Amino acid sequence: MKHTIVMTGASRGIGRVAARNILRRSPDLHLLVVARASSGAQLAAELATGGHTVSHVSADLGSLDSVRSAATEIRDRLEGGDLPPLRGFVGNAGMQYTNALTETPDGFEATFTVNVLANHLFVRLLQDRFAPPARIVITASDTHFGDFRHNMGMVPGPAWKSPDVLARTGAFAKPDTAAAGRTAYSTSKLAAIYLVHEYARRLPAGIDAVAHNPGFVPGTGLARNAGPVSRFAMRRILPVMTLTPFATSREAAGRHLADVVLGTFQAPTGSYIDRDRVDRSSGDSYNPRREGELWDAAERFTAG
């Protein structure tokens, strides 16, 4: 049956591999990619090679007004019959900055905006347009564990605070440093899991929500805002770690994400999927009080 999946973060890395796998394995799919205006049309054309059905909607995920406009356009296309029924949303786009001081046009910290608020706004504005059975997949990260075992000390663990603090610049110690930027990243990924738990509680039956951890995947575009040394290490040195159990290749991570999106294996709503298996996320990630506070704050921040 013809259906639509909306996907962010399909232009490079894990998302690009996943998009190709999803299209190859789901011939009835209309894949709608969300990307910046300068790249969206080209991305859709490249993914459509081979007879696949791909279109795009332009959005800057660092601007809630832009995300709201994109979601509204998707709603209009669904209501007008330009798109087949909506069966999935993949919030795969992610960003890590070299500080915790980068502010968006909305006045929020940029990491929190892209990794948390943009996904939430898409989910909420498209919620009543999903045609069950549907699945929402949010890309998480094992950096939210905050221990050496999961990230080999490369990323500081989350430093949870009130969502009203986390959403603004300067939330962490020495906010002008790369360490603060990485803390903002790991904290945003913990927040993403909290919201997945809330979606599992609040969304109508037939709309599942899961968090997917791709593992440590060197060579993606995640560190594109890092300094030259870090970018060189991610692109040229760390990829050799994919030959060890400590890292995952882009190809494997993309296949795993495609499996999650297509529901290849069972994963109850609210699940944390570690690469290719359902697992428990960190102990701190199960906190109904924080989850409820974050939901309320995200609702306020994205109201418009």
Side-chain angles (χ1 to χ4, degrees):
M1 179 180 177
K2 291 284 186 182
H3 61 283
T4 298
I5 290 177
V6 175
M7 183 174 187
T8 70
S11 61
R12 58 170 64 88
I14 299 167
R16 186 63 168 262
V17 175
R20 287 175 172 159
N21 274 271
I22 291 167
L23 287 164
R24 178 176 54 81
R25 293 162 53 186
S26 187
D28 290 334
L29 173 67
H30 185 130
L31 182 65
L32 193 157
V33 293
V34 179
R36 289 181 179 271
S38 59
S39 60
Q42 180 179 348
L43 172 62
E46 291 173 355
L47 290 173
T49 302
H52 302 299
T53 305
V54 186
S55 63
H56 78 285
V57 168
S58 297
D60 174 2
L61 299 181
S63 164
L64 295 183
D65 283 343
S66 180
V67 172
R68 190 174 291 107
S69 295
T72 300
E73 180 178 342
I74 295 169
R75 286 178 59 91
D76 291 344
R77 291 176 62 181
L78 287 163
E79 291 170 2
D82 181 48
L83 293 171
L86 180 62
R87 290 285 175 81
F89 171 76
V90 187
N92 179 63
M95 185 61 71
Q96 182 180 131
Y97 291 87
T98 56
N99 57 60
L101 294 173
T102 306
E103 189 174 74
T104 70
D106 309 282
F108 297 114
E109 194 275 321
T111 311
F112 194 83
T113 299
V114 174
N115 296 356
V116 182
L117 297 181
N119 287 330
H120 185 69
L121 190 51
F122 270 120
V123 168
R124 295 293 279 149
L125 291 180
L126 296 176
Q127 176 178 323
D128 64 348
R129 290 296 176 264
F130 283 104
R135 173 170 280 192
I136 294 163
V137 180
I138 305 297
T139 297
S141 167
D142 50 10
T143 60
H144 86 277
F145 280 91
D147 58 17
F148 186 86
R149 172 171 168 260
H150 287 91
N151 59 57
M152 294 170 287
M154 292 187 289
V155 180
W160 191 258
K161 304 174 188 293
S162 161
D164 288 277
V165 174
L166 295 175
R168 306 296 176 177
T169 57
F172 306 103
K174 298 181 180 178
D176 59 334
T177 65
R182 292 175 183 143
T183 303
Y185 177 80
S186 63
T187 305
S188 75
K189 291 303 184 178
L190 177 60
I193 296 173
Y194 285 152
L195 284 180
V196 164
H197 293 164
E198 284 295 301
Y199 297 148
R201 295 186 187 103
R202 295 173 183 263
L203 293 179
I207 306 175
D208 292 346
V210 298
H212 177 246
N213 167 45
F216 173 53
V217 187
T220 68
L222 181 63
R224 57 188 176 276
N225 285 327
V229 174
S230 295
R231 292 200 307 270
F232 178 81
M234 282 292 288
R235 291 174 182 172
R236 303 298 182 187
I237 299 174
L238 294 180
V240 300
M241 292 183 65
T242 59
L243 302 176
T244 76
F246 299 106
T248 308
S249 70
R250 280 180 294 179
E251 289 70 25
R255 288 195 305 271
H256 295 159
L257 178 55
D259 285 339
V260 175
V261 173
L262 296 176
T264 301
F265 56 89
Q266 275 200 325
T269 188
S271 293
Y272 177 78
I273 303 171
D274 180 15
R275 285 160 278 197
D276 59 352
R277 63 191 179 90
V278 177
D279 203 351
R280 285 186 62 81
S281 48
S282 71
D284 280 348
S285 71
Y286 300 94
N287 189 317
R289 179 184 60 80
R290 289 182 180 178
E291 291 161 3
E293 289 176 352
L294 179 59
W295 172 276
D296 291 341
E299 291 286 279
R300 284 190 284 109
F301 298 154
T302 58

